Amino acid sequence: MASFPHYRLQRLRRTPALRGLRCETRLHREQLIDPLFVVEDSSMAGAVPSMPGIERFTLDSLDRRAEAVGKAGIQAILLFGVPARKDAQASGSFAPDGIVCRAVERIKRVAPDLVVITDVCLCPYTDHGHCGLLATPRADSRPIDNDATLEVLGRVAVAHARAGADLVAPSGMIDGMVSAIRLALDNVGLVNAGILSYSAKYASAFYGPFRDAADSAPHFGDRRAYQMDPANAREALAEVALDIDEGADMVMVKPALPCLDIIRRVRDTYASFPLAAYQVSGEYSMIKAAAQNGWLDERRAMMETLTAIVRAGADVVITYFALAAAEAMESKP
Ligand code: PBG
């Protein structure tokens, strides 16, 4: 490479058009997945205070959102159900007339081309807020019974796929969840329902606002006995390897910005495998709060973080900014 003064990198930064020629990473609407909360009890609908700009939808208001998302050129949504009742067995999670199944059926009627992904986890449905059935005897430090939970996850996935979900997304970091779900789906002939696995999901502080929105905070202890330690990277590759081996169609790293190195390592290790990253609630709320205080330019922070996540190697990004980002792409920078 010729050196200074012959070679000047600033030459290609002089104008927007030159910068456009030099640009290495481009965001597309097709890369965005819009995460949506749908409530069974309509009195729980409305704004989520810890996530400015995000609301919990009823089945009716979800129709309008699905239409808006499609009009903005976004191709996929990720649904989270907020049930009216919780119990120890998480029975609302696999009920065929449960909130997520009803939402999927309706969306498939109003927006048949929209890819519908459903979160498959027990935490919003259990009366204790953990992502699986409780172990007996129960230990606060190791609360859940992994293997007993697998059967329930299979039932949840089958219920969602029967309702019309294109992809089910197990998010509980339950060992063996992908293979249990693949088997359950195949056993009833749902061979075309895919699995987007939350493969490398860390025990992160950045899920706080989501737990307000989904009403899914654990009532005792924490999730560190099943979610990953943020100190670990090689372990994430082991999680991804297992999920691919168990039959995942797409893997995910979560959260996104604190894990750009993990996204990059998964991308480099599995060059051809579809990879999603989840810009989680806390990442969203941090930018929103700073912007509301006038400390950050919201639009620029949004586009910069999303671009960084794609630059790190993600094919698609699940983000609460999906609609805003798609709209921002309409206009020039
Ligand atoms: C359910 C689940 C969580 C998120 C997605 N699925 C929360 C958790 O693990 O407590 C977090 C998403 C976000 O913060 O936006 N297990």
Side-chain angles (χ1 to χ4, degrees):
M1 194 193 278
S3 60
F4 184 83
H6 304 290
Y7 189 54
R8 293 171 182 265
L9 287 160
Q10 287 183 12
R11 283 185 193 124
L12 297 185
R13 293 181 199 145
R14 277 192 307 119
T15 67
L18 285 167
R19 290 194 290 274
L21 290 178
R22 183 69 181 82
C23 181
E24 298 178 26
T25 307
R26 286 174 220 276
L27 275 180
H28 304 282
R29 292 173 185 78
E30 293 85 345
Q31 294 172 303
L32 303 173
I33 299 176
D34 191 24
L36 299 172
F37 302 100
V38 56
V39 297
E40 186 164 33
D41 171 355
S42 55
S43 73
M44 294 166 80
V48 179
S50 55
M51 300 181 73
I54 298 300
E55 64 172 300
R56 310 208 283 193
F57 296 99
T58 60
L59 288 171
D60 287 320
S61 56
L62 190 65
D63 283 357
R64 287 192 293 281
R65 175 66 174 214
E67 275 162 357
V69 163
K71 276 210 187 79
I74 294 168
Q75 310 194 87
I77 60 169
L78 170 59
L79 280 181
F80 294 95
V82 184
R85 276 169 308 280
K86 301 167 187 271
D87 59 32
Q89 274 67 49
S91 47
S93 64
F94 51 81
D97 62 348
I99 183 61
V100 169
C101 292
R102 285 160 64 200
V104 173
E105 284 161 6
R106 280 194 58 154
I107 288 169
K108 283 289 172 184
R109 275 201 296 275
V110 298
D113 296 334
L114 201 58
V115 173
V116 178
I117 310 169
T118 58
D119 190 82
V120 172
C121 193
L122 305 191
C123 56
Y125 302 89
T126 51
D127 53 14
H128 45 76
H130 277 291
C131 301
L133 301 177
L134 286 192
T136 41
R138 169 188 127 183
D140 280 12
S141 59
R142 208 171 169 284
I144 65 176
D145 182 336
N146 187 89
D147 294 10
T149 303
L150 292 173
E151 193 261 334
V152 188
L153 295 180
R155 294 171 71 170
V156 178
V158 166
H160 291 181
R162 276 201 175 122
D166 298 286
L167 299 173
V168 293
S171 67
M173 291 296 284
I174 308 300
D175 285 335
M177 65 186 184
V178 173
S179 96
I181 287 173
R182 188 67 269 158
L183 254 157
L185 292 170
D186 289 352
N187 273 342
V188 296
L190 293 165
V191 295
N192 289 321
I195 302 174
L196 162 55
S197 181
Y198 287 69
S199 303
K201 173 172 173 179
Y202 287 85
S204 168
F206 292 98
Y207 309 152
F210 171 95
R211 293 178 189 171
D212 298 338
D215 189 24
S216 64
H219 294 189
F220 65 89
D222 56 44
R223 305 210 200 287
R224 282 182 294 182
Y226 42 102
Q227 298 180 349
M228 278 185 55
D229 182 345
N232 296 353
R234 295 188 303 264
E235 189 186 9
L237 296 177
E239 286 283 5
V240 169
L242 279 174
D243 280 1
I244 293 175
D245 193 51
E246 289 179 30
D249 298 281
M250 188 181 275
V251 294
M252 190 200 299
V253 172
K254 174 187 172 190
L257 212 56
C259 295
L260 293 179
D261 60 324
I262 309 299
I263 296 170
R264 168 51 51 198
R265 287 176 74 158
V266 172
R267 166 50 66 236
D268 288 346
T269 309
Y270 301 97
S272 64
F273 210 77
L275 173 61
Y278 197 148
Q279 182 178 48
V280 300
S281 58
E283 298 178 71
Y284 169 85
S285 296
M286 236 175 1
I287 292 173
K288 279 287 188 182
Q292 285 180 344
N293 277 291
W295 298 339
L296 282 181
D297 178 325
E298 179 176 333
R299 184 169 170 282
R300 288 187 56 204
M302 165 179 83
M303 296 311 272
E304 183 177 329
T305 52
L306 291 172
T307 302
I309 293 163
V310 171
R311 189 193 65 222
D315 296 306
V316 294
V317 188
I318 302 161
T319 173
Y320 301 95
F321 285 121
L323 203 50
E327 280 159 7
M329 288 175 204
E330 306 281 349
S331 54
K332 291 208 165 184

